[in-house]
Amino acid sequence: MSATLGIDVGTYESKGALVADDGRILATAARRHGLIVPQPGWAEHDPERDWWADVVWLSRKLLSDGRLAAAEVDAVAVSAIGPCMLPVDEDGAPLMNAVLYGIDTRAAHEAEALTARLGADAILAFCGNALTTQAVGPKILWLKRNRPDVDAKARKFLNATSFLVHRLTGRFVADHYSASNAAPLYDFGRMAWSDALAADITDLDRLPDIAWTTEIAGAVTRKAAEETGLAAGTPVIVGTIDAAAEAVSVGVVDEGETMLMYGSTIFTIRLGAERLTDPRLWHAPWLFAGRYACMAGLATSGALTRWFADQFARELAPEEALAALASECEASPAGARGLVVLPYFSGERTPIHDPHAKGAIVGLTLGHTRADLYRALLEGIAYATNHIFATYAEAGAPLKTIVSVGGGLRNRTWAQATSDVSGLSQNVRRVSLGASYGDAFLARLALGGVSTSSIKLWNPSADAIEPNPDTAAVYRQRYGTFRDLYPRLRDLTHGLGSDPQGE
């Protein structure tokens, strides 16, 4: 028996999969970790405790549960949340907690200042992306200005995946898909690092090598083997960000296909043969040469449902709360009895790119119940998701085939509302394990035993979520209200500040 091992580190949980060369799952495992929020607008992980310790634990757990000898693992792939900003020393040791992706808005001022100085059009033309809270460049600049002691010690700036690959192999490397998020330091046309726009952010030799996702980064070192239980010398691929591996896991590999991921945040990836440029969306080279990705993501989605459960369902056991709320909200009709929610509880990413946006629950009366509130929350996320879909269409890339994945699919009300609001069908694959399954496939692909289309055989279609025409009228009206609310409330809510104590 031979297998590939895939591990994905997410916002709140890491998952792993041991997969045979025909796609059969031999073992799976998961391990939860926390999200560190030192202050409003910040989001961090401890790289040692939340990233590397999870990889060590999962590797050993998978080998044990799969009853495979370490030598029977043909290759390893890891993916992780991103884009992140982590300064490390010459040995790859973290110098601080990792600054996470777009949900961390601490560098909003730096992004705005760089945009004003360099020009939005010039940045978009050069990098393929506007400078938003997703961009790594402004976060490095934030570090330079606010933590000069840490910046002075930094030998490299890594994301989560490149940190883990270095810990496994000793090599500092990132894939093109991840590197493109380091605007304004990535030249999209040349697909290379460049300081042509902003030489004052950092020296380019402090950034990792760039390679394609399925290139072999190196081999498991003896030290990493001792910690993980993997065999020294096992090939490790360059890897990628979790959302990309998730897209691969459900067969999104061809032009025109789109992944919709229901996770801590909603995230979409649409593939195309040509580069698309729109400041409201994100853009990157895809995992393989000759393909491009256009992405969008909300700031809070699954994280918002967890917040609701923590605050308003405290009598329920944490492990049962989300399922209980999902069942409870079925008693509330489409439209949530007149409630509309703006789900901007941590600012918002695409398409409005407003780190200062605030959440809102509009239409409350004494007659509303917890079920109505929770349904309105799910519908608010569905409205925001449809805003993304509409933006794709306006950018000249209407969505055709949508393949959905993620833990949020277990909440049928949420998934159904997404189709009902948008009028679009969602395809669901047989295996919904997620990015770790995609990682295992990418590791196999790197070895040459499969082609990209083989994932559709590994993971065929199993279900479809179709729009319900009976709810079309109410959702058209509510979506129009949703779109009107943000521009009307924006200036008012910006003035409320970000301190939850109101100070």
Side-chain angles (χ1 to χ4, degrees), residues 117-318:
R117 189 182 96 202
L118 304 175
D121 291 343
I123 294 169
L124 189 63
F126 187 81
C127 306
N129 291 286
L131 294 185
T132 69
T133 60
Q134 195 84 340
V136 172
K139 292 177 179 179
I140 297 176
L141 186 58
W142 176 91
L143 183 76
K144 185 176 183 178
R145 290 175 172 176
N146 293 275
R147 296 290 305 277
D149 56 326
V150 175
D151 180 70
K153 297 175 184 176
R155 177 65 186 88
K156 292 288 184 182
F157 291 101
L158 306 178
N159 62 30
T161 304
S162 55
F163 169 77
L164 293 170
V165 169
H166 176 267
R167 189 58 64 90
L168 286 167
T169 69
R171 182 183 176 193
F172 293 116
V173 63
D175 73 328
H176 282 280
Y177 181 83
S178 304
S180 67
N181 289 285
L185 299 172
Y186 183 82
D187 182 339
F188 203 117
R190 292 175 49 244
M191 292 188 182
W193 297 127
S194 173
D195 59 3
L197 280 187
D200 58 332
I201 294 178
T202 192
D203 295 334
L204 297 184
D205 64 4
R206 299 168 92 191
L207 302 175
D209 298 338
I210 305 177
W212 292 105
T213 307
T214 52
E215 290 183 48
I216 302 299
V220 174
T221 64
R222 190 170 301 280
K223 185 176 185 299
E226 291 172 355
E227 293 188 64
T228 62
L230 296 166
T234 304
V236 179
I237 72 169
V238 171
T240 191
I241 290 175
D242 58 352
E246 191 116 14
V248 170
S249 80
V250 291
V252 175
V253 292
D254 294 325
E255 179 183 354
E257 295 179 330
T258 300
M259 177 205 70
L260 172 60
M261 182 175 73
Y262 292 81
S264 299
T265 67
I266 284 285
F267 200 86
T268 65
I269 299 178
R270 183 191 185 279
L271 301 189
E274 298 179 354
R275 172 181 168 182
L276 181 68
T277 302
D278 187 293
R280 297 170 295 176
L281 303 169
W282 299 309
H283 313 276
W286 188 225
L287 311 187
F288 321 113
R291 282 278 186 271
Y292 297 90
C294 183
M295 297 85 66
L298 304 182
T300 55
S301 305
L304 191 52
T305 67
R306 172 49 62 188
W307 168 84
F308 187 93
D310 290 345
Q311 301 304 319
F312 304 111
R314 294 180 181 178
E315 82 282 6
L316 300 174

Side-chain angles (χ1 to χ4, degrees), residues 328-348:
E328 184 179 303
C329 81
E330 292 176 0
S332 182
R337 304 185 198 278
L339 290 178
V340 177
V341 169
L342 290 181
Y344 307 152
F345 283 54
S346 186
E348 187 53 295

Side-chain angles (χ1 to χ4, degrees), residues 361-397:
I361 303 173
V362 179
L364 275 168
T365 72
L366 293 176
H368 285 114
T369 66
R370 182 171 72 178
D372 297 325
L373 279 166
Y374 193 64
R375 182 178 186 103
L377 197 78
L378 299 175
E379 290 178 343
I381 298 168
Y383 299 142
T385 303
N386 192 49
H387 193 183
I388 287 175
F389 293 170
T391 304
Y392 275 116
E394 291 165 8

